[in-house]
């Protein structure tokens, strides 16, 4: 019974490159949430997706960031033309319904370092 | 969603109860209170949630005041492995605040 799987665990990118972070939700979960955690700071909500739909992207930066959750395969958080300020831990969570009452399960995160 | 206020840090002696407070004075009637914790740099871990009544599970107890404006998470016998940042969330869209950094000391 695998939990939420995120890969890669660590990702190093040079400024200007693209970063692609993957999240496979728990089996049976169709709701995915992405959070960003800057060093020594709390978790900041980025985006909430269901299969093939973006439900809430109010926390996403307006430029360079995008997310998808296709019908098949993992959810992808994509950061284009990365800058040093994008260095952070990115966490994905999944749930079975669209309410936290049913519990969010978090992955172990992807640590992005931009050099 | 209701804004939450937590002390930035707390210490607790190993084996003693850790009582972590949270104020959520603007919580509305149908909003739950959730507690998560983050150990070092791992992904957050669900602890407990409640609406009106006190709740208990294998990890902790949650005491919610009658007016629902505040709550307390209780770890009955804290261990060194309970050292973490504890987040209180009031509302249904899972916005995290700064949390309380609990340090359990031997």
């Amino acid at each position: 019974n695998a939990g939420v799987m995120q890969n890669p665990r660590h990702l190093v990118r040079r400024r200007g490159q693209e970063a692609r972070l993957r999240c496979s939700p728990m089996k049976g979960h169709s709701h995915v949430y992405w959070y960003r955690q800057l060093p020594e700071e709390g978790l900041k909500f980025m985006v909430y997706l269901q299969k093939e739909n973006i439900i809430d992207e109010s926390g996403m930066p307006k430029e360079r960031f995008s997310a998808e959750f296709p019908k098949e395969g993992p959810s992808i958080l994509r950061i284009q033309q990365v800058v040093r300020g994008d260095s952070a831990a990115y966490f994905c969570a999944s749930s079975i319904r669209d309410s936290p009452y049913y519990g969010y399960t978090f992955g172990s995160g992807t640590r992005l370092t931009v050099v | 969603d209701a804004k939450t206020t937590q002390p930035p840090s707390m210490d607790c002696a190993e084996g003693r109860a850790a009582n972590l407070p949270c104020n959520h004075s603007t919580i509305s009637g149908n909003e739950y209170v959730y507690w998560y914790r983050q150990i070092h740099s791992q992904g957050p871990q669900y602890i407990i949630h409640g609406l009106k009544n006190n709740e208990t599970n294998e990890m902790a107890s949650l005491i919610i005041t009658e007016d629902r404006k505040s709550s307390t998470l209780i770890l009955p016998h804290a261990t060194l492995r309970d050292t973490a940042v504890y987040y209180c969330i009031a509302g249904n869209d899972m916005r995290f605040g700064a949390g309380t950094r609990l340090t359990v000391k031997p």
Side-chain angles (χ1 to χ4, degrees):
Chain A
N1 184 19
V4 176
M5 303 301 293
Q6 290 189 251
N7 63 81
R9 291 294 302 274
H10 300 275
L11 181 62
V12 179
R13 284 288 178 265
R14 295 186 184 280
R15 281 178 295 172
Q17 290 184 321
E18 177 180 288
R20 291 171 68 88
L21 288 64
R22 288 177 290 277
C23 170
S24 296
M26 284 188 68
K27 186 177 180 180
H29 287 193
S30 58
H31 301 259
V32 167
Y33 313 82
W34 284 94
Y35 292 81
R36 177 167 66 174
Q37 187 169 37
L38 296 170
E40 303 303 321
E41 293 189 12
L43 290 137
K44 300 297 183 187
F45 168 80
M46 299 182 75
V47 62
Y48 160 37
L49 309 104
Q50 292 180 27
K51 287 283 187 180
E52 300 184 281
N53 285 305
I54 297 175
I55 305 303
D56 180 356
E57 57 181 348
S58 58
M60 286 278 271
K62 294 288 186 261
E63 299 178 349
R64 302 188 296 107
F65 285 72
S66 62
E68 64 176 9
F69 189 14
K71 187 176 180 180
E72 302 290 337
S75 174
I76 305 289
L77 179 67
R78 182 181 178 207
I79 311 172
Q80 295 178 291
Q81 300 173 335
V82 295
V83 301
R84 289 233 171 101
D86 296 331
S87 295
Y90 292 83
F91 291 97
C92 164
S94 73
S95 69
I96 195 167
R97 299 279 180 87
D98 61 354
S99 166
Y101 178 84
Y102 296 94
Y104 283 33
T105 303
F106 282 82
S108 298
T110 293
R111 273 86 183 154
L112 172 66
T113 302
V114 179
V115 297
Chain B
D1 275 17
K3 179 178 172 58
T4 60
T5 304
Q6 297 179 254
S9 63
M10 291 181 64
D11 290 343
C12 177
E14 187 179 18
R16 304 296 292 270
N19 298 285
L20 292 93
C22 179
N23 288 324
H24 32 78
S25 58
T26 60
I27 195 170
S28 62
N30 64 345
E31 290 180 326
Y32 283 78
V33 178
Y34 304 86
W35 283 84
Y36 282 73
R37 72 179 181 184
Q38 188 174 25
I39 296 174
H40 192 44
S41 53
Q42 299 177 20
Q45 176 189 23
Y46 165 83
I47 302 173
I48 200 167
H49 74 277
L51 182 63
K52 294 180 182 178
N53 300 321
N54 298 336
E55 302 286 345
T56 295
N57 62 20
E58 65 278 4
M59 290 182 67
S61 294
L62 174 60
I63 309 298
I64 302 173
T65 58
E66 191 168 342
D67 63 8
R68 302 212 325 122
K69 293 186 177 182
S70 65
S71 60
T72 300
L73 179 75
I74 301 172
L75 307 178
H77 305 288
T79 70
L80 299 178
R81 288 178 293 180
D82 291 323
T83 292
V85 178
Y86 287 76
Y87 297 98
C88 166
I89 301 164
N92 297 330
D93 69 355
M94 294 299 288
R95 262 51 172 183
F96 286 76
T100 296
R101 184 175 297 277
L102 175 69
T103 303
V104 181
K105 298 186 174 181

